[in-house]
Each structure stands twice: as C-alpha cells, then as structure tokens.
Amino acid sequence: MSCSRPSLRLYTNASRHSSSQFSSKHPVQFSCRSFASPASPVIERYAAKLSQRAKETGYTDVEALKSAHIINTPSQHNKAPVPPSNGGRPAQKPSSAPVKQLSAYLDIEKAAVLPAKEIEMLWRLRHANDPCSLSAVIPASTYTKLSSNAREYPCFILPLPRPSTPDADQNVDKPAVEVHFLQHALMADTTSTTLFTPLAEFKLRGEYASPHTTVMYHSDFAKSHGIVLMNGSITEGRGVTIEQAQFLLVSLQKFYAGMGDEASTNRRQGLLEQFTRGDEKFKVEDVIEETERIV
C-alpha cells in the first residue's frame, strides 16, 4: 500500500449503515486546526508569509530559512529515539516510526522567539512532503484534557468502518467494523505518544503486536504559546490509510478531549471508565454509536 494524501475532511455517518456510506455524509473537522494538507497546497498557502519572514530575519528565501535549522530535517538532526516508559503496563514493540522529541524536528530555541502562527506554518511545512505523515497544531487547553484522560485511561478501543459484507440470509449488506486497540504513554516530560494496533492482532501477539499508527504530542510550547504540536505516521502495508488513521484520531478526540456537549462527554467518559474497570456493562456497540455521532 502506498501512502497518499487525503483531503482535510473526514466523514462519518449519523446512523449505523453500510461503512461505504461513512465517506459520503456529515463532514467532521478535527478541531485542532485540522491536519496538514497535501504538500503543494501547504507550501502555496504559506509561501508568501514564509518568504516575508525569511527576509525580515535576514535570509534570502524560504530555503535559506530552513537551512538555518529552525526546521530540522533527518539529515540535520539524527537523534536516537527516546526509550518508552509506560509505568509497568504491557508495552508494544516500537513501530517503524521511532518516537522522537520536538528537537528532532525543530530548533526549539530559535522557534521559541516566533509567534504561534509562524510556528504552526513551520510545523506544517516540516511535514508537508511526507505522504505517510500526520500533523496538526492543537490548542493547549484541548491537549490538557486529552492528556489528563490519557493518564487515567491509558488504553481503549475504537472502531474503524470497513467495506460491507453480504448477508445471504437477509439479502443485504452487513456493516463491517474493525476494532483497534490504542495505548497512551508518556515518553518524556514534553512528549507523549499514542499507538494504534488492530485489536485482533494485539489479542493474538500481545506485547509483540506492532502498531500501524504512531502519534506523538509535543507540549514544549504549551505554556509559552498556548499550542501543542502533533505529528505521526502510518506503517505502509498494514492495511490502514492516512484517511483511516485520521478517522481514528477524530474518534480519539471525541472520547479523550471532551469534544461535544456535556451529555456526549459524560457518555464517553462513562465508556472509558467501564473499559478501564473491566465492567461487564461495557459494550463495543456503544463505542461504535458514539464514533458515528457528528460531535
């Protein structure tokens, strides 16, 4: 499977029908100012502002600004991945995308003097040319809710719609859903991560199961600029596309970041608590229903 960039929108369905209908109704925007768009639109959108910023800081063009190491590329910064620390909980083997701190992507000291909007532009530019990457800029208040719940509920399951399967008995297509297991972990003082793995594989292989999607949150600028930088990637050949990974991240936000009204938040909080306690009342169907809601 080759990676390809989707549009900025994800789609869900308000009612439980065929999963093919998930891609045709009710656009849902990820409220953390959306994921990075395809490479050329990102660069075109910010080219003028970046060019102006380059001149203001004494550089001839955007490439010169990049070469000043405000944006670090793999050839400029090749730090070893931070070893995971998960408080004694079962751990997964590292994914193909090692977990790195923010300094592997940006020169923190130089970026810290920029306003939040310019950091956002640089962050999007940093990831614009990688078709397998996920990136976003999240309000610090949203991340605070998410990380607080992640510490209390470090594991959960989320459904992902799949192509429908025929039901010969009723002569209709049965909705198909694949369940995925997620794990949160604090990797360093300012870096946390979320791993997504098919639940069937996790049940079969346990700690040797390999995640298909790895997402990192960098809170280095949370206090100073009110933003948290998110990035991640999918592993090619694991049967999950960028668009499907985005769907899982939107679902994660619904449960962990208080997305929606008070009633929705309370229902989802209750499901997190039931799953963590191993409550017999917990039903996967209830989780599916919540992910199908618009907010």
Side-chain angles (χ1 to χ4, degrees), residues 72 77 79 100-108 191 218 220:
N72 289 331
H77 204 301
K79 284 192 172 182
K100 299 178 181 180
Q101 297 185 53
L102 184 61
S103 57
Y105 304 99
L106 295 177
D107 186 312
I108 298 176
T191 303
H218 309 281
D220 303 66

Side-chain angles (χ1 to χ4, degrees), residues 86 89-93 150 153-157 180-186 192-197 202 206-207 209 211 213 215 252 256:
N86 58 6
R89 298 185 181 91
Q92 292 181 324
K93 293 178 67 178
Y153 313 112
C155 301
F156 195 56
I157 57 172
H180 292 254
F181 183 69
L182 69 87
Q183 290 176 290
H184 300 285
L186 179 65
S192 62
T193 186
T194 302
L195 307 177
F196 292 92
T197 308
F202 187 82
E207 66 182 57
T213 301
V215 177
L252 180 149
Y256 281 86

Side-chain angles (χ1 to χ4, degrees), residues 147-159:
S147 61
S148 176
N149 281 323
R151 285 190 293 270
E152 190 167 356
Y153 313 112
C155 301
F156 195 56
I157 57 172
L158 290 173

Side-chain angles (χ1 to χ4, degrees), residues 186-216:
L186 179 65
M187 312 305 292
D189 289 343
T190 58
T191 303
S192 62
T193 186
T194 302
L195 307 177
F196 292 92
T197 308
L199 180 61
E201 180 178 343
F202 187 82
K203 291 172 69 175
L204 179 66
R205 302 183 64 192
E207 66 182 57
Y208 294 100
S210 181
H212 58 71
T213 301
T214 302
V215 177
M216 291 163 280

Side-chain angles (χ1 to χ4, degrees), residues 70 106-115 119 122 221 225:
I70 293 178
L106 295 177
D107 186 312
I108 298 176
E109 184 178 351
K110 293 179 179 179
V113 301
L114 302 176
I119 295 176
L122 289 170
F221 299 125
H225 293 72

Side-chain angles (χ1 to χ4, degrees), residues 277-288:
R277 294 197 311 264
D279 196 320
E280 294 182 356
K281 295 180 180 179
F282 177 83
K283 297 180 181 179
V284 177
E285 291 80 5
D286 292 337
V287 180
I288 295 174

Side-chain angles (χ1 to χ4, degrees), residues 54-283:
K55 292 177 181 178
E56 290 175 351
T57 52
Y59 299 101
T60 56
D61 53 26
V62 175
E63 290 304 315
L65 182 66
K66 289 172 65 177
S67 66
H69 295 219
I70 293 178
I71 299 177
N72 289 331
T73 62
S75 61
Q76 294 168 337
H77 204 301
N78 190 24
K79 284 192 172 182
V82 181
S85 173
N86 58 6
R89 298 185 181 91
Q92 292 181 324
K93 293 178 67 178
S95 70
S96 61
V99 176
K100 299 178 181 180
Q101 297 185 53
L102 184 61
S103 57
Y105 304 99
L106 295 177
D107 186 312
I108 298 176
E109 184 178 351
K110 293 179 179 179
V113 301
L114 302 176
K117 193 64 179 178
E118 291 188 17
I119 295 176
E120 178 179 351
M121 289 190 292
L122 289 170
W123 189 244
R124 294 185 185 283
L125 180 64
R126 173 63 176 77
H127 299 282
N129 292 319
D130 185 353
C132 291
S133 72
L134 297 156
S135 65
V137 178
I138 307 172
S141 57
T142 298
Y143 177 73
T144 297
K145 295 177 184 177
L146 190 155
S147 61
S148 176
N149 281 323
R151 285 190 293 270
E152 190 167 356
Y153 313 112
C155 301
F156 195 56
I157 57 172
L158 290 173
L160 182 66
R162 291 295 193 181
S164 301
T165 57
D167 187 335
D169 294 335
Q170 300 185 20
N171 196 29
V172 295
D173 286 344
K174 292 179 61 178
V177 173
E178 182 180 61
V179 179
H180 292 254
F181 183 69
L182 69 87
Q183 290 176 290
H184 300 285
L186 179 65
M187 312 305 292
D189 289 343
T190 58
T191 303
S192 62
T193 186
T194 302
L195 307 177
F196 292 92
T197 308
L199 180 61
E201 180 178 343
F202 187 82
K203 291 172 69 175
L204 179 66
R205 302 183 64 192
E207 66 182 57
Y208 294 100
S210 181
H212 58 71
T213 301
T214 302
V215 177
M216 291 163 280
Y217 301 90
H218 309 281
S219 58
D220 303 66
F221 299 125
K223 292 182 179 179
S224 59
H225 293 72
I227 58 174
V228 171
L229 305 181
M230 187 215 82
N231 71 297
S233 63
I234 63 171
T235 301
E236 292 190 73
R238 296 297 310 281
V240 174
T241 65
I242 284 288
E243 192 169 51
Q244 290 167 337
Q246 289 184 348
F247 182 91
L248 289 172
L249 286 172
V250 170
S251 298
L252 180 149
Q253 188 189 22
K254 289 180 178 180
F255 282 90
Y256 281 86
M259 182 178 174
D261 57 25
E262 184 177 356
S264 297
T265 299
N266 290 339
R267 286 196 309 271
R268 294 161 188 167
Q269 185 93 4
L271 289 169
L272 288 172
E273 292 174 353
Q274 287 179 351
F275 182 85
T276 303
R277 294 197 311 264
D279 196 320
E280 294 182 356
K281 295 180 180 179
F282 177 83
K283 297 180 181 179

